[in-house]
Amino acid sequence: MTHIPPPAEELRLLDAELWQLDARRAQLLARRAWLVAALQPKWQAPQPTGPRPAASPRPEASAPSVQNVLLVLGGVLLTIAAMVFTLVSWGHLGITGRTLVLGAVTVAALAAPLPLLKRGLRSTAESVAGLGLALTVLDAIALHGAVFPETPGAPYTAVASALLAALWTAYGLLPGATDLRLPRPAALVAAQLPLFFWAIAADAGSYGATAALLVTAGFDTVVALRTTPGSVRVVAAIGAYGVGAWGALAAGLLTWTASGPSAAARAAALLLLASAIALAAAWQGGRAAAHGAEVTRANGQALGLAVASGLLAVVAFGGSARSLLPELWTVPAHLAFGIALLAALRLDRLPDTVRRGLAWASGAVQALSLLWALPVVGVVVLGPLGWASRAWTGAPSDARTAVTVDVTWPPHAEAVPVVLAAVAAVLALAVRDTAWRPKATAGALGLAWATAITLPAVLELPYFAGLLIQGATTVGILTAAVFQRQRLTALGLALGTSASLACLALASQTATLTVLCGLVALFTAASWRLAPFTAPTALAYGAALAVAIGAAADWSPPHTALLVLVVPAAAALLAGRLGDSKATVPVEAAGATAGVLAIALAATDLPLLATVLALCGVITAGTAIRTDRRQVGYAAAALFLAAAWVRLAAWEVDTPEAYTLPVTIPALLVGVLRHRRDPQTSSWTAYAPGLAATLVPSLFAAWGDPHWTRPLLLGVAALLVTLAGARHHLQAPLLLGGAVLLLDALHELAPYLVQVTDALPRWVPPALAGLLLLALGATYEQRLRDARRVRSILTKMH
């Protein structure tokens, strides 16, 4: 008989088997999932067959969005209805009716959000609360029209906005309404109006209204820094930035238009108030950043507020000083207060972000001061260029007249050296950061240079005193380039100063010669350390000195060109001594430029131009002796050839062979040497250029020459070239010589051929052509073999 366990035991057994089945099912499902992942994407789960059910349409607007839109629209419509009732239907009710209706509606609108919040209808509560706040505004408007019609608008607006702000704040702090987001931000918006309209009502003027704006901005700043709710902080921050910027701009305008020290002091007090508000906000933001709360954003805001605070303080103190000092010292006064901001760097109690912001504000003031001084520096440096068209017309009376020959002197420029020197001192002494120190040193050097070169013009020193000071500045700045680290900066300044000095010296002949001699000696002496830059500069001033000496000696430009050639000769000798130095190429470039200048000066006198070209060729040939400058030999040959051609043109020689033979003979010699060194060189490369240089121009000349001498000599020369090509199996001489010989012979036989053609009957040329064609056709195969043999012979030639 089958054993049937008791019910309790049977239940235990069933539970155990079910647990084992569940465990096995879990194992199988896990294995299936692994297999699907391993075979993906090769395997896809079987898709169900049959028609797919239609997908439900996706809603275009979510339920919360629809709810919010409906609530907002309902609140707006109710507000509009209340406005219409207040403005249109108000007069149909008595005072009691009006009070009861508006009071009942307003109380109901303000009370309704409380039970709605308890039921969890937060969005509906916010909409109804907004309606209640709008109704309070309408109540205030209605009261002014009905109860206080004689009260002016400004004081009533101040009182009403203050009461509304207090009412909305109290409403938002009620135990059941603390979850509402709208009342407290709305109260803060209403709080922007009382002080401003109270200042207007009290007839406080521009200063009172500006003070009201700044106090309101300070209140907003405190709220933004101390309030926890995000919506209130956002509204407070917007109010602080907006109202504060409005007040700061108004205070700045009052400072600019202040008519006396008293008005300037009051405007400065307003600016200092704005500066204090910004500094307090920056301080608080810097502390928050130091404690790690939203570090990046807090640092950025604190840095910007600190910069604004520093700039406002500078404008405040500078505006007060401007009312007491002459207009000349306006910029230096602002600069002094801007530099004073750097004292904040020594205050350890200030957060690092605030100190950096005040340092940036000081830098901005200094940069603006330098921008104001820049036109004066530009006039001093670039103004002397006007003497290029007025050279040696007479020394001016003072240094300022010397630099303003073609430009206007900027106003209030007497304070420019003070500004430049002050900023230079700050850069040299105040910047200690290792990353910024090299840049600050370079800037200090440049500003010290600008101070030195502007002093003579600013002080209206005598002309020669200005030259002496600018020359001393050039010496000092070049010495700094030799011995200090800021080599490139100092060298650039030295080059610019020397060029300006050279142009400034053009007013007087004596000054020009003296200055150019000094510059040549100075840059030559500096070449032992800075040869790649100073050696070419010395050569350039040497060329200018040569031109000046020629003009002082009353030489013509072609004769002066001979003196200028001293510079290319010196450059070639110096480049040979330098060898592989970095200064070699710049020195050679300077010498080549001087040579081009000499050629340009001699262009109007052909005999002297030929001499200059020949001398340039000698200098270039001397350079080509160096093993690393062999390619310069081509330039030397071109210069010698150009010199020969110019000399022939000066002698009025019109024979083309006189111009072409000086090319042909050296070219053939070079071709012979090359062919001996490399027998595989083609004759077209070695000899064709030289031969064509004479044969082709002579052939054209022979065809237009009515005499027999040139054609005869050309034919003899072409025959000799053809025989030489045949003797040495050279393709280029054989074909060039043969072609020229054939064309020259045709030229000589042309008159006779014309006579024979005229004497023959008209049927003779066609008959001769036909006989020729028959003869060619009869011997076609033999002619082909002969042609192949000739082509083979020519191919074997070089």
Side-chain angles (χ1 to χ4, degrees):
M1 297 178 63
T2 304
H3 173 70
I4 299 175
E9 181 67 17
E10 185 178 2
L11 180 61
R12 185 185 65 79
L13 293 175
L14 289 176
D15 289 340
E17 290 182 4
L18 289 174
W19 182 84
Q20 292 178 358
L21 290 175
D22 290 338
R24 182 58 178 166
R25 176 179 175 81
Q27 292 177 358
L28 294 176
L29 289 175
R31 181 63 178 173
R32 181 183 183 279
W34 183 87
L35 291 173
V36 170
L39 296 175
Q40 200 71 14
K42 296 180 180 180
W43 180 86
Q44 293 183 356
Q47 301 294 329
T49 59
R52 179 177 299 178
S56 59
R58 184 179 180 181
E60 296 182 358
S62 62
S65 300
V66 174
Q67 168 190 311
N68 293 334
V69 170
L70 293 177
L71 291 175
V72 170
L73 288 177
V76 171
L77 291 175
L78 288 175
T79 304
I80 294 174
M83 291 175 60
V84 172
F85 170 76
T86 303
L87 298 176
V88 178
S89 302
W90 184 257
H92 300 288
L93 299 175
I95 184 64
T96 304
R98 300 171 188 173
T99 305
L100 291 176
V101 171
L102 278 179
V105 174
T106 303
V107 170
L110 293 176
L114 302 179
L116 291 175
L117 286 174
K118 292 181 180 180
R119 294 178 176 273
L121 302 176
R122 183 169 181 172
S123 299
T124 306
E126 293 284 356
S127 300
V128 177
L131 174 61
L133 298 180
L135 287 175
T136 57
V137 177
L138 295 176
D139 290 341
I141 297 174
L143 286 175
H144 180 266
V147 181
F148 308 104
E150 302 298 330
T151 304
Y156 184 83
T157 303
V159 174
S161 58
L163 293 176
L164 287 175
L167 175 63
W168 294 348
T169 303
Y171 178 70
L173 295 176
L174 290 175
T178 53
D179 292 337
L180 292 175
R181 298 179 181 179
L182 190 58
R184 280 174 286 179
L188 189 58
V189 172
Q192 310 299 309
L193 304 178
L195 287 178
F196 180 72
F197 281 98
W198 188 261
I200 296 176
D203 199 13
S206 301
Y207 292 92
T210 303
L213 290 174
L214 293 176
V215 171
T216 304
F219 168 74
D220 292 335
T221 303
V222 173
V223 173
L225 294 175
R226 298 296 182 183
T227 304
T228 302
S231 58
V232 179
R233 290 173 57 190
V234 171
V235 174
I238 294 174
Y241 282 113
V243 179
W246 186 11
L249 290 176
L253 182 61
L254 291 175
T255 302
W256 184 260
T257 57
S259 58
S262 177
R266 286 182 291 166
L270 295 174
L271 284 173
L272 289 177
L273 175 59
S275 175
I277 294 171
L279 181 61
W283 195 321
Q284 186 68 24
R287 291 176 59 186
H291 287 82
E294 300 180 353
V295 176
T296 304
R297 189 181 68 178
N299 270 329
Q301 292 178 353
L303 182 64
L305 289 170
V307 172
S309 175
L311 293 177
L312 289 172
V314 170
V315 174
F317 289 112
S320 299
R322 186 173 64 88
S323 64
L324 300 173
L325 298 174
E327 189 176 358
L328 169 66
W329 299 103
T330 299
V331 174
H334 284 79
L335 177 62
F337 292 116
I339 295 174
L341 290 177
L342 295 176
L345 298 177
R346 299 184 178 274
L347 300 177
D348 295 333
R349 295 184 59 187
L350 288 176
D352 291 339
T353 307
V354 176
R355 285 187 290 173
R356 285 192 292 112
L358 294 177
W360 277 104
S362 176
V365 174
Q366 296 177 56
L368 291 174
S369 302
L370 293 180
L371 188 63
W372 172 80
L374 186 61
V376 177
V377 180
V379 169
V380 171
V381 174
L382 302 177
L385 292 175
W387 288 106
S389 60
R390 298 177 176 85
W392 298 356
T393 56
S397 59
D398 55 68
R400 183 179 296 183
T401 306
V403 298
T404 55
V405 59
D406 280 335
V407 294
T408 304
W409 184 250
H412 309 302
E414 289 75 10
V416 167
V418 177
V419 171
L420 296 174
V423 179
V426 170
L427 292 176
L429 301 176
V431 180
R432 296 299 180 186
D433 186 77
T434 55
W436 287 91
R437 184 64 183 170
K439 299 178 181 179
T441 304
L445 181 63
L447 292 175
W449 161 82
T451 304
I453 65 172
T454 53
L455 272 176
V458 169
L459 300 178
E460 295 186 272
L461 297 179
Y463 169 69
F464 289 102
L467 286 178
L468 183 62
I469 293 175
Q470 195 160 348
T473 304
T474 305
V475 174
I477 205 73
L478 191 58
T479 304
V482 173
F483 294 104
Q484 291 188 358
R485 294 182 178 179
Q486 300 297 333
R487 180 165 296 178
L488 292 179
T489 302
L491 184 60
L493 295 176
L495 294 176
T497 311
S498 64
S500 178
L501 177 62
C503 293
L504 191 63
L506 290 175
S508 169
Q509 177 178 321
T510 304
T512 300
L513 296 175
T514 304
V515 167
L516 289 177
C517 289
L519 291 176
V520 171
L522 176 63
F523 283 94
T524 301
S527 296
W528 68 282
R529 289 288 298 273
L530 303 171
F533 303 97
T534 55
T537 306
L539 293 172
Y541 285 129
L545 178 61
V547 174
I549 291 174
D554 205 15
W555 290 356
S556 63
H559 288 86
T560 303
L562 298 175
L563 185 60
V564 175
L565 286 178
V566 176
V567 176
L573 294 175
L574 180 60
R577 293 292 300 273
L578 291 173
D580 295 334
S581 173
K582 294 181 180 180
T584 302
V585 174
V587 166
E588 291 176 341
T593 304
V596 173
L597 175 63
I599 293 172
L601 290 173
T604 57
D605 191 332
L606 292 182
L608 281 176
L609 177 59
T611 303
V612 170
L613 288 171
L615 292 175
C616 290
V618 171
I619 297 171
T620 308
T623 302
I625 295 175
R626 295 159 48 192
T627 55
D628 58 339
R629 293 292 186 269
R630 296 298 189 191
Q631 300 297 326
V632 181
Y634 295 105
L639 288 171
F640 284 128
L641 178 61
W645 284 356
V646 171
R647 176 59 64 181
L648 292 174
W651 289 338
E652 298 183 354
V653 175
D654 56 357
T655 303
E657 289 78 11
Y659 295 89
T660 57
L661 286 176
V663 180
T664 295
I665 294 174
L668 291 177
L669 291 177
V670 172
V672 170
L673 293 176
R674 183 171 181 180
H675 195 268
R676 286 183 179 180
R677 291 181 180 178
D678 185 10
Q680 300 299 323
T681 303
S682 172
S683 62
W684 290 101
T685 303
Y687 304 111
L691 294 174
T694 294
L695 291 178
V696 174
S698 297
L699 180 62
F700 281 104
W703 273 79
D705 193 346
H707 304 288
W708 59 273
T709 307
R710 176 178 279 112
L712 177 61
L713 295 176
L714 178 62
V716 172
L719 178 61
L720 293 176
V721 170
T722 304
L723 294 177
R727 171 69 179 78
H728 297 284
H729 301 280
L730 297 176
Q731 190 179 100
L734 179 63
L735 295 182
L736 283 176
V740 172
L741 180 62
L742 177 61
L743 293 175
D744 186 62
L746 289 176
H747 171 264
E748 293 302 310
L749 294 177
Y752 302 103
L753 292 177
V754 171
Q755 293 178 4
V756 171
T757 303
D758 293 339
L760 291 176
R762 294 181 179 272
W763 56 268
V764 174
L768 293 177
L771 292 175
L772 178 62
L773 291 176
L774 289 176
L776 290 175
T779 59
Y780 182 73
E781 185 176 1
Q782 182 65 31
R783 300 306 177 194
L784 285 179
R785 286 198 299 268
D786 294 342
R788 293 192 188 98
R789 189 180 299 110
V790 171
R791 186 180 64 181
S792 177
I793 294 173
L794 291 176
T795 304
K796 292 179 181 179
M797 293 182 179
H798 290 290

